[in-house]
Amino acid sequence: MTIHPTALVDAQAKLGRDVTIGPFTIVHGNVEIGDGSVIESHCEIGHPTPLADGSRLSIGAASVIRSHSVFYEGSNFGEGLKTGHRVIVREGTRAGRGLQIGVGSEIQGDCTIGDHTRMQSDVLIGKVSRIGSFVWMFPRSGMLNDPMPPSNILNGAQIDSYAVIGAYSFLMPGVTVGEGAFVGVCTTVSRAVAPHRIVCGDPMVDKGSTERLRLPGSRLPARPWTRHFHRGYPEEVIRGWISEAQTLTSHLSGGEAAAGTWQENKTAR
Amino acid sequence: MKHLAPMANIHRTALVDPEAMLGRNVSIGPFTIVHSNVEIGDDTMIGSHCELGVATPLSNGSPLSIGNNSLIRSHSVFYQGSSFGPELEAGHRITVREGTKAGVNFRVGTLSDLQGNSTFGDYVRLHSNVHVGKGTHVGSFVWIFPYVVLTNDPTPPSETRMGCTVADFAVIATMCVVLPGVHVGSGALIGAGSNVTKDVSPERIACGSPAIDKGPASRVMLRDGSGPAYPWREQFHRGYPEEVVQGWLNELKRFAT
């Protein structure tokens, strides 16, 4: 365990093996940090709030919280959480494994997030949002929750697994973006998006199936993205994606040849 | 450049690695961390709660280099592997990743997020909350206003990186998104809230979502009735050195005759 001499760590905090706490960071008492995690400088971890009803902030093993971030008590994160600088996470956030939260993002709490979801810089997640696994949210995108602000109504939005939300796009309160759907940049998602559809613009327009998307300079399909983009995901997850793709291809075209194309494509990278 | 500044300028709570190269008269604010792989030029001021020279394998060991007479305001984070010319001026809470190269008098507003592997010419102005994706190339004398996002991945998520380019003297107004690989021509003006999906020719106006061509930028008049607003270097000179301004005026005169 490495705690910088300038860090303030409450004696009640439960720190796992080989946890590192950076300079000028404050760790409050109601906190549990898993083995091998790194909390960088200038952070505040387990900020007290009556809204957490005394429940603890729990951060899984092998996590990295970058400098200047603030986490309130009363949230749970699986192992391998990774944040950028200046992330703010409020109470009642429940996230699975491998969540990535980009620089300057804000999670307002009382929300659920699946496994291996990735948020880039300055993402805003309103209270009572629901996010699946392997979701991507690009810079400045967000999820709203109050249909007639300001009001006491909290109607969270939902993003299903493998969906991708482009830069500057916002989900209006209560809408759902279906599995594998692609929301283009600057879109106001004002109604439900069916799985595997492309939508964009404000007002939002349906642009057809995600099967249409091609990688630039090639005729290879860009969807599902799990066939060509694997960076940073655990090996067993990638293996699952590859075998699923192979099964699917041999089903559809009955050919080893088609499955081979993916393999070649993968090796080419 | 001297090894280690006089202690008087380093706040007693700051953590400065003895390997860091600090020029003459550098000041470091309270609770700031300066790592080893950092070179800071003469007369530069670093505010409080900053972290400079954050280690990353992606920088291939190259240092963070900050020119003379610079100012970095509080709570900013700069990774190693970037270089800035003299007179860098940075707002509060800025993040700059490795591989960012900027020329003379680069100004970056509060909360901006520079993802690295990007180049900026001389006298570039970024207002607050500007997000610059990896692989972006920005010329000299460019203005980018608050909340602009410069993107780089045409089919996210993918390994394709197509950074956008913004040529000299271009102006991108607030809340715009520039899509991957788009080239904004020199002296072009992008209206507020635009979604720039294709290249913009030099000295043209583009706006809307998707952005469409609205004619030559010289059509836009100053509201005080004193003449055309563009090219802006004809009428706006604040903060640029005299010889630069003289150069612009001579060039415009030549062009006119």
Side-chain angles (χ1 to χ4, degrees), chain A residues 158-207:
Chain A
Q158 178 172 326
I159 304 176
D160 291 341
S161 299
Y162 298 102
V164 175
I165 313 294
Y168 260 123
S169 292
F170 271 82
L171 274 72
M172 296 300 276
V175 303
T176 295
V177 170
E179 183 165 328
F182 179 37
V183 176
V185 298
C186 298
T187 303
T188 301
V189 185
S190 47
R191 53 182 196 278
V193 178
H196 310 292
R197 299 298 290 183
I198 309 168
V199 292
C200 63
D202 182 14
M204 181 179 93
V205 211
D206 187 303
K207 294 278 189 182

Side-chain angles (χ1 to χ4, degrees), chain A residues 95-137:
Chain A
R97 277 170 295 154
L99 171 64
Q100 296 188 3
I101 316 174
V103 169
S105 292
E106 181 180 359
I107 299 181
Q108 301 197 320
D110 294 331
C111 58
T112 57
I113 305 170
D115 294 325
H116 303 291
T117 278
R118 295 182 179 179
M119 300 171 189
Q120 298 201 339
S121 315
D122 294 303
V123 166
L124 171 72
I125 308 295
K127 275 193 184 198
V128 300
S129 295
R130 298 169 303 277
I131 304 175
S133 296
F134 303 104
V135 164
W136 281 85
M137 296 185 72

Side-chain angles (χ1 to χ4, degrees), chain A residues 31-84:
Chain A
V31 169
E32 194 174 348
I33 302 176
D35 297 347
S37 290
V38 176
I39 314 292
E40 290 190 354
S41 70
H42 303 96
C43 289
E44 188 174 4
I45 306 296
H47 185 91
T49 167
L51 300 173
D53 294 324
S55 74
R56 173 180 287 170
L57 168 66
S58 165
I59 292 166
S63 294
V64 178
I65 296 182
R66 294 214 166 75
S67 75
H68 301 87
S69 294
V70 178
F71 279 66
Y72 282 62
E73 61 180 7
S75 287
N76 264 306
F77 296 87
E79 58 184 42
L81 165 70
K82 210 173 187 189
T83 84

Side-chain angles (χ1 to χ4, degrees), chain B residues 146-162:
Chain B
Y147 292 98
V148 167
V149 174
L150 306 178
T151 63
N152 60 18
D153 184 351
T155 48
S158 78
E159 299 287 5
T160 317
R161 268 283 165 280
M162 294 167 63

Side-chain angles (χ1 to χ4, degrees), chain B residues 210-222:
Chain B
I212 50 173
D213 185 286
K214 294 280 188 183
S218 56
R219 269 180 47 188
V220 183
M221 293 293 154
L222 288 167

